[in-house]
Amino acid sequence: MKPSVLAIADSDSYLKLATSFLHRLGPEWDRKVYLARTPVMPTEQQISAAFEGTDLDPQMLEVIQLSQLEADSVQEDIIFASATGPVVAEIYSRILRTEPVDGRRTALISALPGVAYPATQKGWNYRRAGDAFICHSHAEARDFSFMTESHAGHQPTIMVSKLPFLNCTGFPPAQEKLVNRLVFAPQAKVPETAEQRESILLALEQASKMNPGLEVVVKLRAKAGEPQTHLEAHPYDSLFTQLQSRNRISAESRIQFDTGSMSEALVPGSALVTVSSTAALESLDRGLPTMVLSDFGVNRQMINTVFVASGIIGELEDVVSLNFGEPSKAWSAGKLLPPHGSQLLSIIGVPGPAGKRWTAAYRSGSPGLHPPPAAAPSTAYGVAIASGEGAC
């Protein structure tokens, strides 16, 4: 009998995490994906983008009300709560309230859909009731593990696995093709002001003018007014229209706005620019030139401190001149890009809240989730280590 998993998502980025996680588990698992009906539900185009590149059929997606959820309605071995914090907390609460404490059979795990460094107490608190929490880098795992020491009571086991939509098994070779496509990946929350965002658009316009033949694309998660995981106060497509109306960007501008999948945007010949976006990891994963902008700061507020010492930090003037740095291998291997795990792990045991243990079968090549040793201190976390020095 196959092990089974139910992923429950609520927004565009979390649905992408859910589908790529299930895809990496593969057909050896019985897989199901639900979409919770919330105000941040993805559009049809966002749903299509989330399923692109996976072996899952978008027709399998079922929309549910969270009020439908209880232990008796879930037959799967594992619930992967791939959703925003409040929704994860509600999923956990509904299952735990309706499942016998001394007879639990459903494992509860969760993860964040991108860079989560530095860790936040708020994000952790929403997910504390689960059995396991998946981090996507050693730095994140260390940060979250410190939080387990400051609170008594149940804490989920912290595990580490690369984001499931990243694919490289070693350091990807840098592309030899000249850059002919510049992709800007916005982050909904930063930078905060319209003026800062306008400066990015103006730099992209200048890059288009200074580099004949260069295609410039702003890869949006959603158009202005459409739902996405985080609310965006100043959408780039709206700002672009405003800049054109003020004659600061030409009506003949070659800047394009696209809402397709990131994999469609990051084709060979592309280079990526962002302030703070998981798209930087997807670009690095493909061996593409990548830049994290420092013009607005490299700090907690900009959610980009993880890129310190990465070798890919630059400024808007570097965007105009297409001056991209070389990513640091030490940073990639030691801080941000762990492997998926190449060792066969057939059984995982994680302590439950009542001292029980749930088990779930994992296969080689699935997101390599390893629990910490039984005698490890609370700051320990499980890491799947792939063979080969410097695997990314």
Side-chain angles (χ1 to χ4, degrees), residues 52-112:
E52 185 176 312
T54 73
D55 63 349
L56 305 174
D57 184 352
Q59 297 301 315
M60 73 183 291
L61 184 65
E62 183 177 341
V63 179
I64 66 162
Q65 298 281 1
L66 287 177
S67 58
Q68 301 173 232
L69 202 61
E70 59 180 30
D72 288 344
S73 69
V74 176
Q75 303 305 314
E76 287 74 22
D77 302 316
I78 296 175
I79 289 180
F80 178 43
S82 179
T84 52
V87 172
V88 172
E90 183 170 355
I91 292 169
Y92 285 178
S93 176
R94 289 183 175 278
I95 297 299
L96 293 172
R97 284 199 315 246
T98 55
E99 195 171 52
V101 173
D102 59 352
R104 289 194 53 209
R105 60 174 180 78
T106 307
L108 303 174
I109 67 174
S110 65
L112 296 170

Side-chain angles (χ1 to χ4, degrees), residues 175 177-184 200-218 252-257 265-273 288-289 291 316-324:
Q175 71 167 2
K177 187 174 181 179
L178 292 176
V179 173
N180 56 27
R181 178 180 170 90
L182 181 63
V183 179
F184 172 62
I200 295 173
L201 290 171
L202 292 170
L204 294 175
E205 175 71 2
Q206 189 68 9
S208 177
K209 291 179 178 179
M210 295 293 290
N211 299 277
L214 180 69
E215 183 182 9
V216 180
V217 178
V218 179
E252 287 76 39
S253 173
R254 293 187 286 119
I255 295 179
Q256 306 170 43
F257 290 83
L266 296 178
V267 296
S270 298
L272 181 122
V273 176
L288 302 177
M291 185 188 303
L316 288 173
E317 62 183 26
D318 296 313
V319 175
V320 176
S321 60
L322 301 182
N323 180 28
F324 289 81

Side-chain angles (χ1 to χ4, degrees), residues 220-239:
L220 303 173
R221 281 197 175 276
K223 295 178 181 177
E226 291 183 340
Q228 55 179 316
T229 302
H230 300 291
L231 294 176
E232 191 168 28
H234 305 289
Y236 282 92
D237 46 345
S238 294
L239 293 175

Side-chain angles (χ1 to χ4, degrees), residues 341-362:
S342 62
Q343 299 172 340
L344 175 64
L345 183 60
S346 59
I347 296 292
I348 294 178
V350 178
K356 301 293 181 181
R357 298 177 72 83
W358 57 263
T359 59
Y362 281 79

Side-chain angles (χ1 to χ4, degrees), residues 256-325:
Q256 306 170 43
F257 290 83
D258 178 43
T259 56
S261 68
M262 187 57 69
S263 60
E264 286 181 325
L266 296 178
V267 296
S270 298
L272 181 122
V273 176
T274 188
V275 174
S276 171
S277 172
T278 304
L281 307 187
E282 296 186 67
S283 178
L284 291 170
D285 187 61
R286 291 165 168 78
L288 302 177
T290 305
M291 185 188 303
V292 173
L293 294 173
S294 63
D295 300 76
F296 318 108
V298 179
N299 50 48
R300 292 179 71 98
Q301 289 71 34
M302 289 295 114
I303 327 173
N304 57 8
T305 56
V306 73
F307 294 104
V308 170
S310 64
I312 64 171
I313 293 175
E315 300 177 345
L316 288 173
E317 62 183 26
D318 296 313
V319 175
V320 176
S321 60
L322 301 182
N323 180 28
F324 289 81

